[in-house]
Amino acid sequence: DGPSVAIVGATGAVGQEFLRVITDRDFPYRSLRLLASERSAGKRLSFEDREYTVQDLAAPGAFDGVDIALFSAGGSVSRKYGPAAVASDAVVVDNSSAFRMDPEVPLVIPEVNPEAMANVRLGKGAIVANPNCSTIICLMAATPLHRHAKVLRMVVSTYQAASGAGAAAMEELKLQTQEVLAGKAPTCNIFSQQYAFNIFSHNAPVLENGYNEEEMKMVKETRKIWNDKDVRVTATCIRVPVMRAHAESVNLQFEKPLDENTAREILRAAPGVTIIDDRAANNFPTPLQVSDKDDVAVGRIRQDVSQDDNRGLEIFICGDQIRKGAALNAVQIAEMLLK
Ligand code: A2P
């Protein structure tokens, strides 16, 4: 019973996490098809007591009979093969940025804007976009506060993990760490500069306004998800040598006053959010604490001393990039289709 599911990019970091999330959440499926590039076609993968052969996405009929296609193989693959999946009446849950800003495509965080999915149903081809990982992690914590006091302006600084650049980037971080400790020159294949023992501006292309694409995704996607074209968002996105969870410092300016104790209560009640905020023990969210976890963690919750009348808050958020930032959010979207 359940839908027939295809995973596009099944051999990648997010593709592999889709499988773990499907198991962890007991996601029902009738059949499963694992798709990747011709490089991986024929590779055998075992999952839930069965052996699967990875199939070439480019082979004809790749989406025949597929109800839900979870895509995570990059924007160009989504642009090329997403429409073919839709033509086969599949609902595509796309992890890339290819369709996020298309006005016809819902951009969904299930805890935040499930209503955007209203017109999507199984059996009718459609694309649903998974937001950018930094946007998801930020809005999981910022949205409940926004609902209460309305965010006028949000200033974000990210500390982003290797996983956002894929499995090969995670391998590069490990390899470089060993190389540098051994006194060797680090191998730079994925990133153009040394990643181990360093931080650098996010590798997304830098645009004419000086922001990089990752930063502008946070600006534009927040407006779309909140359905608020006026909210002011600015971001600085940085890569740090962390394996799989992002951290974000978020400064919020509100229309209405919001004191930190009320904010803490709101966040305590928010689904998918855990508070780690022990000032006495200096225990606050870390990427390692949230790795392999579903919830995003929020701490350093404090009034912004530069704002009058409790109109500002500082918070620090960590979330697993592969999980809530990608695979978990996509599987939650798929679960909404089953209701
Ligand atoms: P493959 O392993 O065959 O290259 P990651 O985000 O970890 O880098 O993973 C990317 C995923 O997307 C992998 O599963 C990869 O498959 C897949 N992929 C990349 N390019 C293509 C393509 N042109 N066609 C199909 N799958 C692709």
Side-chain angles (χ1 to χ4, degrees):
D1 216 37
S4 159
V5 175
I7 295 182
V8 178
T11 52
V14 175
Q16 289 291 296
E17 195 72 20
F18 280 140
L19 296 174
R20 280 189 285 271
V21 173
I22 284 172
T23 297
D24 290 350
R25 298 177 72 83
D26 226 346
F27 182 89
Y29 59 91
R30 182 171 78 245
S31 65
L32 191 61
R33 193 173 302 174
L34 304 183
L35 301 166
S37 78
E38 61 179 1
R39 292 180 293 274
S40 313
K43 197 174 160 186
R44 312 278 290 166
L45 291 178
S46 59
F47 175 64
E48 295 190 336
D49 305 327
R50 278 203 52 185
E51 281 263 308
Y52 293 86
T53 304
V54 177
Q55 292 172 254
D56 182 359
L57 171 64
F63 295 103
D64 285 356
V66 169
D67 299 310
I68 298 176
L70 303 173
F71 271 65
S72 192
S76 56
V77 170
S78 294
R79 264 186 290 273
K80 190 163 175 199
Y81 297 98
V86 172
S88 303
D89 295 326
V91 176
V92 170
V93 184
D94 184 28
N95 203 46
S96 83
S97 61
F99 303 105
R100 284 181 195 148
M101 296 314 297
D102 181 332
E104 303 295 316
V105 171
L107 182 64
V108 180
I109 307 171
E111 293 88 343
V112 171
N113 61 335
E115 68 282 355
M117 292 272 294
N119 295 325
V120 184
R121 56 191 144 75
L122 276 187
K124 186 166 158 261
I127 297 175
V128 180
N130 214 37
N132 168 270
C133 47
S134 300
T135 310
I136 294 176
I137 290 164
C138 176
L139 296 193
M140 282 296 290
T143 303
L145 305 173
H146 173 58
R147 300 271 185 256
H148 192 88
K150 191 170 169 39
V151 172
L152 298 177
R153 182 165 183 262
M154 179 160 79
V155 183
V156 184
S157 303
T158 70
Y159 311 73
Q160 297 186 221
S163 55
M170 298 168 81
E171 287 307 313
E172 182 153 304
L173 175 56
K174 272 189 231 164
L175 176 64
Q176 282 196 4
T177 304
Q178 290 166 339
E179 288 171 333
V180 173
L181 288 175
K184 293 188 209 148
T187 306
C188 297
N189 289 328
I190 303 298
F191 299 120
S192 60
Q193 53 195 318
Q194 182 176 331
Y195 189 24
F197 306 100
N198 197 14
I199 69 170
F200 48 75
S201 186
H202 193 284
N203 48 294
V206 179
L207 305 165
E208 213 159 291
N209 67 359
Y211 283 74
N212 61 47
E213 274 181 11
E214 184 83 355
E215 292 159 353
M216 289 310 293
K217 284 174 188 173
M218 296 198 77
V219 173
K220 292 177 185 167
E221 293 180 19
T222 298
R223 290 186 190 141
K224 178 166 175 173
I225 294 165
W226 280 357
N227 191 21
D228 178 355
K229 61 178 177 16
D230 297 322
V231 64
R232 292 159 183 262
V233 179
T234 181
T236 300
C237 291
I238 303 290
R239 278 265 182 236
V240 297
V242 163
M243 208 48 85
R244 59 171 290 156
H246 290 352
E248 304 183 24
S249 158
V250 179
N251 179 276
L252 298 160
Q253 186 187 339
F254 300 103
E255 184 177 87
K256 292 183 252 169
L258 178 59
D259 68 81
E260 62 179 49
N261 292 326
T262 307
R264 219 169 268 119
E265 277 168 37
I266 292 168
L267 290 169
R268 198 164 284 128
V273 176
T274 296
I275 296 184
I276 303 175
D277 199 28
D278 184 345
R279 293 177 182 179
N282 199 20
N283 184 26
F284 300 112
T286 66
L288 289 182
Q289 278 171 315
V290 299
S291 290
D292 295 305
K293 299 275 176 13
D294 286 351
D295 277 16
V296 305
V298 187
R300 305 297 322 276
I301 303 164
R302 63 204 192 279
Q303 221 73 55
D304 174 355
V305 293
S306 76
Q307 300 274 354
D308 295 327
D309 308 324
N310 290 352
R311 305 276 166 145
L313 275 180
E314 290 278 1
I315 57 176
F316 185 69
I317 314 169
C318 288
D320 185 303
Q321 184 277 331
I322 315 183
R323 218 163 164 94
K324 185 56 188 170
L328 170 62
N329 197 74
V331 173
Q332 286 176 301
I333 289 171
E335 285 171 349
M336 291 173 69
L337 296 166
L338 306 183
K339 289 202 182 116

